[in-house]
Amino acid sequence: MADTLYLGLADVALLARVRRAPVTMWRRRYASTATPFPQPVATRGAQQLFDGDEVVTWLETTGRGNNPAAREDLAGFAVLADTDLDDPVIFAGLTALLCLSRYTDGLSTVHDDLLDEADEADPDDEFLTAELEALGERLVPLARYCSLRIDAAYHAGAAFEGLMARRRRRARDGYTRTALSAPAVRLVAALVNAIGTDAGINAPLIVDPTGGGGDLLVELARDEGRTVSVALPPGDAPERRLTRRRLRVRGIDYRTLEIDGDGGVVVPEDGVVVLQLPGADDPDAEAAELLQTAEEVLLGNPADRRMVIVGRASTLTEGLPRSARRVRDDIVRTHRLRGIARLPAGLAPFEPRARVALWCVGPAPTMAPGGVPPRTMVVNLSDTELDDIVTADLVTDLVAGMQDVRGQRAHLPRFGRLVGSVELITRLGGLVDAVPTPQRTEPAVEVLARISELRAELAERLAPAAMPGVVARSAPPGTRHTLDDALRSGMLRLLPGHRLDRDLFDAEASVRVLGPPELLGTSPPRSVDRLLLAARHEVARFTEPGDVVFCTAPRPAAVVDVEGGAVVVHPARVLRSKSSELPPRVVAAAISAQPADARAWGSWTVGSIPADQADSLRVVLDELDSHRAALKRRLDAVDTLASTLTDGTASGILDLSQHD
């Protein structure tokens, strides 16, 4: 059916407001019941698709999931049958239809009427007419689908942002690869507004010379405290047209910039320039090309123009090849580069290895009496979390860097250091390498309160683990099974680990990773972003509570994943117990007890637990686990107390000369 709404397993999880693992469990657990989970009705590549109406009916019948409004929300997570939302033509057409709905009382279901309405809304074909014409016969079915998405999201703007979020999850296009995290977007918005206010521009015109910074423009125009307008360059590049639609659907007006005689844009006097490098239309641009773009924008505007440039740290702040460095040095020599900031990791969520940096551009300061040369505020936040307080203080430091020399002297920066242009140019490495990362110091009263809590915790008596009575058993020894035999008999099930690209790992992400480093304790915990994982691996599996994750090299090791919901990385594997005779802890203990050079893991043996002892053993092992956790918390408290006393004394906020 052309109007059938399809859901992938990841979409089912999002609709039901659960993790992916429960959906997989529902399919298996309910397979032999009177209410089996619906069967897939289609496939797209390696992805199985399910009838959305059948899935919603199943959720309503069984009471599963955490979304009582699943039927109303269905269109917000589903795709239309025979329609690939990742197709650029389809995606552009859907966003155009959502944008068109802002100009009508409802989307028509007549082909010619839709095109007539598009011509009225966009007579010069700046943002949606061509996209609707490109849909051809698919225009009307997609209009009906868009109406459903609008109803599910309550308004067209939210439905539009839902499509953008889906694009971020699934696509690996220029927009996704250059997308910034929400904290980074909020930082740029706060900085642009603060720079505009400092320049006396109370209703700034936000100028995007490339037209591809949709996320930034939407966040900037969200400011409810004052009127903000947007100016974009002309042109029919797909990302520029998408940005125009995104602004229009949210009711944000924009004006089109004029082109000057050199091919650049003319920025009005009340404009603050926001430039993202690279843009979504050319994510693979080299550093020299990006810096030339920045230089052209800078030199093509009056000397008093304010700008915020955000982009790769590898281009803006790090060491560069000679050709690119020469361009960056030329920019520094203008003395208009007033602020430089290397930002923390994790702000480019779909390029985990990429760092983000900022430039603030303003009028070159006059030299102060005494011949003090102009200086640039340089900030290194490599190891600092970008929370609201850090963002506010960073903005204050960077705005102070826009002042003249007297104004710079009057500000005591929290993070920044004032560096002369000559020093920046003569550095062989990055622009911020000589600036230390800030060390956050807590107020003494908070440190003393934490010390008091730790001392009280360590003073409490730790109760011993409750143990049952233990006597010798006269019954014959229990059966031992090899792992191969247990797998063949169905007592255990083997699941392989995933082969994940290194750029998926992100210390700030939400999904735990279990691989040999985690099993052996040889590296800090790793994690991956759930949405990015789903975009790369349509059939990503997650552990269930009680799964045994094990590896054989460099030595045998195994852990029981009590929580579940982790992703296992090859060469680690999962053993899932299907019999009470082989409890997960017993299997894990048997694997971990193998010699370091043992490799033929199928021949390893594990003892079965008598049926009358399984529950008692589980209870006592749970008790010992709780006791182990209590001991670990106490050891952690000792370590925390020691580091708190050491750091507090070293920073000068504690005096240990008095003893209680």
Side-chain angles (χ1 to χ4, degrees):
M1 296 291 293
D3 289 339
T4 301
L5 296 178
Y6 285 168
L7 293 167
L9 286 178
D11 302 316
V12 174
L14 291 171
L15 174 65
R17 298 179 185 171
V18 298
R19 295 184 300 184
R20 176 72 174 270
V23 180
T24 303
M25 180 188 66
W26 294 340
R27 297 184 68 191
R28 183 179 66 254
R29 179 174 294 177
Y30 285 87
S32 302
T33 69
T35 55
F37 191 85
Q39 292 296 312
V41 294
T43 58
R44 182 169 294 152
Q47 183 186 27
Q48 293 180 323
L49 298 175
F50 300 79
D51 186 302
D53 185 67
E54 292 181 1
V55 170
V56 170
T57 300
W58 185 88
L59 292 172
E60 293 172 338
T61 301
T62 61
R64 291 297 178 183
N66 301 308
N67 184 9
R71 187 168 297 278
E72 292 81 0
D73 294 344
L74 172 60
F77 299 93
V79 297
L80 198 62
D82 304 323
T83 299
D84 183 4
L85 267 62
D86 298 328
D87 182 330
V89 174
I90 297 296
F91 178 83
L94 288 173
T95 57
L97 283 164
L98 291 172
C99 184
L100 178 63
S101 71
R102 288 279 304 187
Y103 297 87
T104 64
D105 292 332
L107 289 173
S108 173
T109 56
V110 178
H111 184 278
D112 290 344
D113 288 350
L114 286 168
L115 294 181
D116 288 343
E117 291 170 347
D119 188 57
E120 290 183 18
D122 182 26
D124 297 324
D125 191 15
E126 291 185 347
F127 55 95
L128 62 77
T129 301
E131 285 78 6
L132 297 184
E133 291 175 345
L135 292 177
E137 296 179 354
R138 294 174 293 185
L139 178 60
V140 171
L142 289 178
R144 288 197 294 266
Y145 173 59
C146 280
S147 296
L148 293 174
R149 289 195 75 107
I150 293 170
D151 290 341
Y154 301 109
H155 60 85
F160 197 108
E161 292 305 316
L163 284 178
M164 297 300 295
R166 187 181 189 278
R167 183 183 184 187
R168 282 190 289 268
R169 291 197 303 269
R170 300 177 60 85
R172 292 293 294 169
D173 57 11
Y175 169 73
T176 303
R177 291 174 56 195
T178 57
L180 301 175
S181 68
V185 172
R186 288 195 294 268
L187 167 62
V188 175
L191 185 58
V192 169
N193 287 329
I195 287 175
T197 300
D198 181 68
I201 306 173
N202 294 320
L205 172 69
I206 309 303
V207 179
D208 179 3
T210 65
D215 289 350
L216 296 174
L217 296 176
V218 168
E219 182 66 26
L220 284 160
R222 198 193 303 267
D223 188 350
E224 299 177 356
R226 54 183 175 171
T227 302
V228 177
S229 53
V230 174
L232 302 171
D236 283 332
E239 290 299 329
R240 294 187 184 185
R241 294 178 65 91
L242 175 63
T243 297
R244 295 182 195 127
R245 292 194 294 276
R246 195 174 177 190
L247 293 172
R248 290 288 193 189
V249 79
R250 300 180 71 91
I252 302 169
D253 289 329
Y254 67 84
R255 71 176 78 166
T256 301
L257 295 167
E258 297 179 5
I259 301 297
D260 62 20
D262 297 324
V265 295
V266 178
V267 178
E269 291 184 1
D270 59 344
V272 177
V273 175
V274 179
L275 180 62
Q276 183 172 351
L277 300 173
D281 54 348
D282 191 10
D284 296 315
E286 297 293 334
E289 181 182 351
L290 296 174
L291 289 167
Q292 286 169 358
T293 299
E295 186 179 35
E296 289 170 2
V297 172
L298 187 149
L299 297 179
N301 280 276
D304 62 348
R305 183 71 67 239
R306 267 85 173 165
M307 305 181 190
V308 174
I309 300 175
V310 58
R312 298 175 185 150
S314 59
T315 298
L316 300 183
T317 62
E318 311 307 296
L320 290 171
R322 180 175 298 178
S323 59
R325 183 182 171 191
R326 186 181 300 114
V327 179
R328 191 170 70 185
D329 288 348
D330 289 342
I331 294 174
V332 174
R333 288 189 183 95
T334 66
H335 301 304
R336 293 177 60 189
L337 187 53
R338 310 302 305 281
I340 302 172
R342 176 197 284 159
L343 301 179
L347 300 183
F350 299 95
E351 295 286 340
R353 290 178 293 181
R355 288 254 185 181
V356 177
L358 282 174
W359 279 1
C360 295
V361 176
T366 56
M367 193 170 296
V372 178
R375 294 181 295 174
T376 298
M377 184 70 74
V378 180
V379 182
N380 183 1
L381 293 183
S382 299
D383 302 318
T384 305
E385 181 182 355
L386 193 63
D387 58 25
D388 291 342
I389 295 175
V390 170
T391 295
D393 289 345
L394 173 60
V395 169
T396 301
D397 283 357
L398 291 174
V399 171
M402 305 287 285
Q403 311 299 316
D404 58 20
V405 175
R406 286 193 182 89
Q408 290 177 343
R409 282 176 167 177
H411 174 73
L412 180 62
R414 176 182 176 188
F415 298 126
R417 174 188 161 196
L418 291 168
V419 179
S421 300
V422 174
E423 183 179 348
L424 289 175
I425 293 172
T426 56
R427 286 182 180 171
L428 296 178
L431 298 181
V432 303
D433 289 346
V435 179
T437 57
Q439 300 298 316
R440 176 177 293 187
T441 58
E442 296 180 88
V445 64
E446 295 182 11
V447 176
L448 291 172
R450 184 163 67 254
I451 291 174
S452 178
E453 292 174 359
L454 291 168
R455 292 177 63 181
E457 181 178 345
L458 293 174
E460 293 179 2
R461 179 170 177 170
L462 184 62
M467 292 292 295
V470 181
V471 296
R473 186 180 176 97
S474 58
T479 306
R480 297 192 67 82
H481 306 273
T482 66
L483 294 180
D484 275 343
D485 290 340
L487 290 169
R488 280 193 291 268
S489 66
M491 300 174 74
L492 293 176
R493 181 186 175 194
L494 180 67
L495 300 171
H498 290 283
R499 298 179 183 271
L500 300 184
D501 297 331
R502 290 184 177 273
D503 64 354
L504 280 175
F505 297 127
D506 180 0
E508 304 295 327
S510 59
V511 179
R512 293 177 297 118
V513 167
L514 292 177
E518 287 76 21
L519 304 183
L520 298 168
T522 57
S523 73
R526 297 176 294 172
S527 55
V528 296
D529 180 86
R530 180 178 297 276
L531 297 180
L532 187 54
L533 178 67
R536 296 275 195 95
H537 298 269
E538 295 287 349
V539 292
R541 293 180 301 274
F542 300 93
T543 58
E544 296 181 4
D547 278 352
V548 177
V549 183
F550 77 102
C551 66
T552 61
R555 60 177 174 81
V559 299
V560 178
D561 186 9
V562 178
E563 301 176 24
V567 61
V568 176
V569 178
H570 179 83
R573 304 177 178 89
V574 174
L575 285 173
R576 186 167 293 166
S577 177
K578 312 299 287 185
S579 170
S580 60
E581 295 183 37
L582 297 181
R585 289 189 186 90
V586 173
V587 176
I591 293 174
S592 297
Q594 297 299 317
D597 58 350
R599 292 292 181 271
W601 62 269
S603 63
W604 298 346
T605 61
V606 56
S608 62
I609 303 300
D612 64 338
Q613 295 293 301
D615 288 342
S616 297
L617 179 63
R618 178 181 54 79
V619 170
V620 71
L621 291 179
D622 285 344
E623 174 66 20
L624 290 174
D625 278 349
S626 298
H627 192 66
R628 182 185 297 108
L631 289 172
K632 185 178 184 304
R633 286 195 297 271
R634 177 151 294 203
L635 287 173
D636 290 343
V638 171
D639 292 340
T640 302
L641 180 58
S643 62
T644 301
L645 291 170
T646 302
D647 294 343
T649 305
S651 62
I653 63 174
L654 295 181
D655 183 353
L656 304 185
S657 60
Q658 302 296 323
H659 301 278
D660 294 340

